[in-house]
């Protein structure tokens, strides 16, 4: 009986792929964002009640809600883009929706076209994805709710709500301008300090991934802003120089890790001292107390740290002598033309746009044929669920269903017990503040926080009371079903992991990087840019892996099978960096034939990953001089090829 009870509990335990998508993430709560959300969502309601225009107040709060969802950036200038740009697209969307309100099949056609555009532009980047989301969401709202006339009233009110969030987000700019950028660079220094402290230990790989993410974020932030300032801002020039000075320290870390023993405690302590100086904007004399270096690896670490100390604590650099290691962004016009061309001729862009358009078209066609209360919720649900750049479509559908049920419990209590009027203002203060707090925990938690807010605001427009709760649940479940069937199950790619192809591309890049790293013509800046691109590729592969784990079998199980090879390719990148550092600090350089042999095996590894078939010929082993600087790299490539062999590689 006891064994039977155990087996029964095992059968009742939810699968790991489902639990991983619903587990709350351990992230700190942004208290400033909580305060901004509480004020931004409640203040328009208070003004609306005071002016005896509660519908206007509700619309402005809906606009503020979209701004709160997009209020995720630390740097003030990035907040302008994250909040203001999507508001423009939202205004266009609600205008189109208002013009086709209650127009039957014309509404279906227009929303389907808007969904196609929304899906295609979502592939550009984070701001474009939020803009595409708001374009479609507001178009659905405008087509499904009887908004105030004339047509420009709704976009004006929604825009005012978004601008309120932006104004609150920028309040500290005059006093803290540049502080977020300094904090980002300081976080990168602290991440590198943790990496050096972990060298030779079991936590090194985890720390390296944190460094990759921190450097990517810092460079994206500094270079994007410096491109707009045309290099004239001395604070940004100094921060960029400090980031560049950190790159040699990062490059020396893999070589230090391969020694197999920890670095002296003074090494990470010196980097943490530099991090404090960066964050406080401090300069002045400082001499790190480092042990005398004796090997090429120790000389690399010592030289990199002393150079970083000079840059961080020395005088402001000459703006013309600061190299953008990752390359400055192109001119705006060039980027617009390039992005437009990529979107129009990208298979992935069209594929996602068509999937989203199909689901929205089906949702609108259904509600045009079948009478449903507040039927626009069906298309709203489809829009939120069909965002693969936000995570797995399947897990988001499940998470939205569960989050909606949790949110409806709160909404039912509010609609049933709280009288409409001024009592809505304190309620909105509480519910609004929960949105950024819960959004950091995961999609299901964000849905649970947003649901009662939208229902409360919708009730102020429609005056349906607690009757909205049942309609919201039915429409949400219908929308989830449409997204699962038309947006997931009917597409063969949903059942196959894309990690293999992405990983094969990264291996090809690794081969090119090896050839470049030990080539005679490549400069240090070119090698640094290639290395950063390689680690960015691997970071994207890891993100794809994490997303795929939340998919149901067979996609999720196939993704899990790729994990050893993902780790192996990351070790190849580290071994390449370590070998280059040793050469830079005195180790004999490898011969051209050695480099070519490693590159050839990496190209073959990429082919193995793509085909996953038994090759027709026997491979020659990767051999060479044991004392060569490339020997650790050869060992990592051999290990990766063993994992990728037909007996060990995952299926297609």
């Amino acid at each position: 009986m006891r064994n039977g009870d155990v087996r029964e509990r095992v059968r009742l335990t939810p699968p790991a792929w489902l639990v991983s998508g619903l587990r709350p993430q351990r992230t700190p709560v942004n208290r400033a964002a909580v305060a901004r959300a509480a004020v931004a969502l409640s203040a328009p309601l208070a003004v609306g009640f005071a002016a005896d225009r509660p519908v206007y107040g509700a619309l402005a709060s809906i606009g503020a809600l979209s701004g709160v969802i997009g209020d995720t950036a630390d740097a003030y200038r990035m907040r302008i883009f994250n909040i203001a740009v999507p508001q423009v697209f939202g205004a266009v969307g609600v205008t189109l929706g208002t013009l086709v309100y209650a127009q039957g099949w014309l509404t279906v056609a227009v929303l389907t076209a808007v969904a196609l555009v929304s899906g295609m532009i979502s592939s550009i980047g984070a701001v474009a994805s939020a803009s595409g989301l708001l374009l479609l969401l507001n178009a659905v709202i405008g087509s499904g709710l009887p908004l105030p006339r004339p047509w420009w009233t709704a976009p004006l009110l929604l825009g005012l709500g978004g601008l309120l969030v932006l104004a609150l987000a920028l309040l500290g700019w005059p006093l803290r301008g540049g502080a977020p950028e300094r904090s980002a660079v300081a976080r990168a220094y602290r991440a590198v300090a943790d990496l050096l402290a972990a060298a030779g230990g079991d936590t090194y790989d985890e720390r390296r991934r944190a460094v990759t993410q921190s450097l990517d974020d810092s460079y994206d932030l500094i270079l994007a802003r410096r491109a707009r300032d045309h290099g004239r801002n001395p604070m940004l020039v100094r921060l960029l120089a400090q980031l560049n000075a950190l790159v040699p320290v990062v490059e020396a870390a893999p070589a230090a890790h391969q020694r197999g023993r920890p670095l002296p405690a003074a090494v990470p302590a010196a980097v943490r001292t530099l991090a404090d100086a960066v964050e406080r904007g401090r300069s002045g004399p400082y001499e790190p107390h480092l042990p005398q270096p004796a090997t090429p690896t120790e000389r690399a670490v010592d030289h990199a740290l002393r150079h970083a100390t000079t840059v961080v604590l020395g005088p402001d650099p000459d703006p013309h002598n600061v190299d953008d290691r990752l390359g400055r962004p192109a001119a705006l016009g060039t980027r617009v033309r390039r992005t437009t061309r990529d979107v129009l001729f990208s298979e992935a862009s069209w594929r996602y746009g068509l999937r989203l358009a199909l689901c929205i078209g089906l949702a609108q066609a259904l509600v045009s044929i079948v009478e449903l209360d507040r039927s626009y919720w069906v298309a709203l649900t489809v829009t939120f669920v069909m965002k693969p750049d936000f995570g797995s479509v399947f897990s988001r559908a499940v998470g939205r269903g569960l989050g909606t049920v949790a949110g409806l419990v709160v909404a039912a209590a509010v609609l049933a017990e709280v009288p409409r009027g001024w009592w809505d203002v304190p309620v909105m203060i509480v519910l609004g503040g929960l949105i950024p707090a819960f959004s950091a925990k995961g999609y299901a938690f964000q849905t649970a926080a947003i649901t009662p807010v939208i229902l409360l605001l919708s009730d102020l427009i429609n005056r349906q009371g607690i009757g909205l709760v049942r309609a919201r649940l039915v429409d949400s479940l219908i929308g989830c079903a449409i997204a699962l069937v038309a947006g997931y199950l009917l597409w063969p790619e949903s059942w196959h992991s894309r990690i293999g192809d992405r990983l094969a591309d990264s291996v090809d890049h690794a081969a090119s990087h090896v050839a470049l790293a030990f080539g005679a013509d490549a400069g240090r800046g070119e090698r640094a840019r290639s290395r950063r691109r390689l680690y960015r590729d691997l970071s994207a592969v890891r993100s794809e892996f994490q997303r795929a784990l939340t998919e149901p079998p067979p996609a999720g199980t196939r993704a899990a099978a790729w994990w050893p090879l993902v780790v192996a390719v990351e070790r190849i990148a580290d071994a390449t960096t370590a070998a280059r550092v040793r050469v830079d600090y005195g180790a004999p350089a490898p011969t051209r034939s050695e480099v070519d042999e490693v590159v050839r095996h990496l190209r073959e590894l990429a082919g193995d990953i793509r085909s996953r078939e038994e090759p027709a010929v026997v491979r020659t082993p990767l051999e060479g001089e044991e004392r060569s600087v490339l020997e650790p790299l050869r060992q990592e490539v051999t290990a990766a090829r063993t994992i990728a062999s037909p007996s060990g590689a995952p299926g297609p």
Side-chain angles (χ1 to χ4, degrees):
M1 178 65 69
R2 183 172 301 171
N3 291 336
D5 292 341
V6 171
R7 287 194 297 270
E8 183 66 22
R9 284 197 297 270
V10 170
R11 285 196 296 267
L12 293 177
T13 301
W17 57 265
L18 178 60
V19 173
S20 63
L22 300 176
R23 186 180 295 115
Q25 301 177 16
R26 295 181 179 180
T27 53
V29 174
N30 188 332
R31 296 183 179 180
V34 169
R36 289 195 296 268
V39 173
L41 288 171
S42 60
L45 283 185
V47 174
F49 287 128
D52 198 25
R53 296 278 189 173
V55 174
Y56 285 15
L59 280 173
S61 291
I62 292 176
L65 175 61
S66 62
V68 166
I69 296 174
D71 182 17
T72 57
D74 291 328
Y76 291 103
R77 297 199 181 202
M78 293 305 296
R79 292 178 187 178
I80 296 177
F81 284 91
N82 284 11
I83 299 174
V85 174
Q87 291 297 322
V88 175
F89 283 83
V92 174
V94 75
T95 301
L96 292 174
T98 302
L99 294 177
V100 297
Y101 172 72
Q103 296 295 317
W105 290 105
L106 177 61
T107 305
V108 176
V110 170
L111 288 185
T112 302
V114 171
L116 176 63
V117 175
S118 170
M120 293 185 68
I121 67 175
S122 294
S123 63
I124 297 175
V127 175
S129 178
S131 300
L133 174 66
L134 202 55
L135 171 69
L136 183 54
L137 282 179
N138 284 6
V140 171
I141 291 173
S143 67
L145 280 174
L147 300 181
R149 301 290 173 168
W151 63 267
W152 48 263
T153 305
L156 176 62
L157 292 171
L158 291 171
L160 288 175
L163 289 176
L164 174 60
V165 178
L166 181 59
L168 293 173
L170 299 180
L171 280 178
W173 198 351
L175 300 177
R176 301 185 68 248
E181 288 85 353
R182 287 197 300 272
S183 295
V185 177
R187 283 196 298 271
Y189 269 79
R190 293 191 179 99
V192 172
D194 293 339
L195 178 69
L196 294 174
D202 296 335
T203 62
Y204 176 84
D205 289 338
E206 179 183 353
R207 299 300 184 185
R208 176 182 48 74
R209 291 190 292 270
V211 167
T212 298
Q213 185 63 51
S214 183
L215 279 176
D216 288 347
D217 293 344
S218 299
Y219 266 116
D220 289 344
L221 182 63
I222 301 301
L223 290 180
R225 180 173 168 186
R226 189 180 180 215
R228 294 190 295 274
D229 287 352
H230 305 289
R232 292 189 296 265
N233 190 319
M235 183 268 293
L236 292 179
V237 171
R238 184 176 184 85
L239 289 176
L240 183 59
Q242 292 169 347
L243 267 181
N244 288 345
L246 191 58
V247 170
V249 184
V250 176
E251 291 176 341
H257 177 60
Q258 286 185 355
R259 301 189 323 160
R261 60 182 185 275
L263 287 169
V267 173
V271 180
R272 292 191 177 96
T273 300
L274 296 181
D276 293 338
V278 169
E279 189 155 35
R280 297 170 186 171
R282 180 171 58 85
S283 61
Y286 168 69
E287 182 68 24
H289 300 289
L290 302 176
Q292 186 68 27
T295 65
T297 297
E298 293 172 354
R299 286 195 294 272
V301 174
D302 182 84
H303 183 272
L305 277 180
R306 295 186 185 280
H307 172 67
T309 301
T310 301
V311 173
V312 170
L313 297 173
D316 289 341
D318 183 351
H320 302 288
N321 291 333
V322 176
D323 174 41
D324 291 344
R325 290 294 177 90
L326 296 186
R328 285 181 63 179
L332 178 60
T334 302
R335 282 181 286 162
V336 169
R337 290 192 297 271
R338 184 185 303 160
T339 300
T340 302
R341 183 176 62 252
D342 292 343
V343 169
L344 292 178
F345 296 99
S346 168
E347 179 185 352
S349 175
W350 277 99
R351 185 167 57 244
Y352 172 53
L354 290 173
R355 288 174 68 177
L356 182 57
L358 173 63
C359 292
I360 292 295
L362 289 175
Q364 285 301 122
L366 175 65
V367 301
S368 297
I369 298 172
V370 180
E371 186 68 24
L372 294 173
D373 293 333
R374 303 280 69 82
S375 56
Y376 63 92
W377 284 116
V378 179
L380 282 180
T381 300
V382 169
T383 302
F384 275 115
V385 172
M386 285 296 298
K387 291 293 290 180
D389 54 323
F390 288 170
S392 163
V393 171
F394 190 94
S395 64
R396 284 173 66 82
V398 175
R400 183 162 183 84
L402 296 177
T404 297
V405 172
L408 286 175
V409 174
V410 178
V414 172
L415 293 174
E417 302 298 332
V418 178
R420 301 282 68 79
W422 282 98
W423 280 106
D424 290 328
V425 176
V427 169
M428 190 59 66
I429 291 176
V430 176
L431 296 179
L434 292 178
I435 293 177
F438 277 37
S439 295
K441 303 302 179 184
Y443 179 66
F445 298 91
Q446 182 189 54
T447 301
I450 291 177
T451 295
V453 171
I454 297 182
L455 280 176
L456 179 58
L457 296 176
S458 298
D459 183 56
L460 291 173
I461 298 175
N462 291 282
R463 295 293 181 179
Q464 278 200 325
I466 199 170
L468 268 177
V469 175
R470 178 180 175 275
R472 173 73 163 115
L473 177 60
V474 172
D475 291 347
S476 294
L477 295 179
I478 293 175
C480 290
I482 291 175
L484 283 176
V485 175
Y488 182 83
L489 298 177
L490 296 183
W491 297 81
E493 66 188 53
S494 301
W495 299 93
H496 298 278
S497 171
R498 293 172 291 177
I499 296 176
D501 293 337
R502 296 284 298 273
L503 187 58
D505 292 341
S506 296
V507 174
D508 274 331
H509 188 176
S512 300
H513 178 64
V514 170
L516 181 67
F518 299 99
D521 300 330
R524 188 178 183 87
E526 187 178 2
R527 291 198 300 266
R529 286 190 289 271
S530 176
R531 185 186 65 83
R532 295 299 309 143
R533 286 195 298 269
L534 175 58
Y535 279 105
R536 279 179 182 263
D537 287 350
L538 294 174
S539 178
V541 170
R542 183 175 286 271
S543 297
E544 180 73 17
F545 171 81
Q546 296 292 342
R547 185 203 66 79
L549 285 181
T550 62
E551 299 278 8
T557 53
R558 286 172 176 168
W562 283 109
W563 175 244
L565 194 53
V566 172
V567 175
V569 176
E570 290 177 337
R571 292 176 64 90
I572 289 173
D574 279 352
T576 303
T577 302
R580 181 65 248 182
V581 167
R582 291 194 182 97
V583 171
D584 288 340
Y585 288 89
T591 64
R592 184 72 260 176
S593 60
E594 284 184 284
V595 175
D596 291 342
E597 183 72 1
V598 172
V599 170
R600 182 177 68 83
H601 275 260
L602 285 173
R603 300 291 187 195
E604 291 180 357
L605 173 60
D608 293 346
I609 295 173
R610 289 192 178 95
S611 64
R612 294 178 290 277
E613 296 176 356
E614 184 71 45
V617 296
V618 178
R619 303 188 185 101
T620 57
L622 182 57
E623 298 177 348
E625 174 61 45
E626 291 185 1
R627 291 176 297 179
S628 170
V629 72
L630 292 187
E631 180 58 22
L633 176 57
R634 284 195 289 261
Q635 293 177 2
E636 297 298 346
V637 174
T638 300
R641 295 206 67 179
T642 302
I643 295 172
S645 65
S647 60

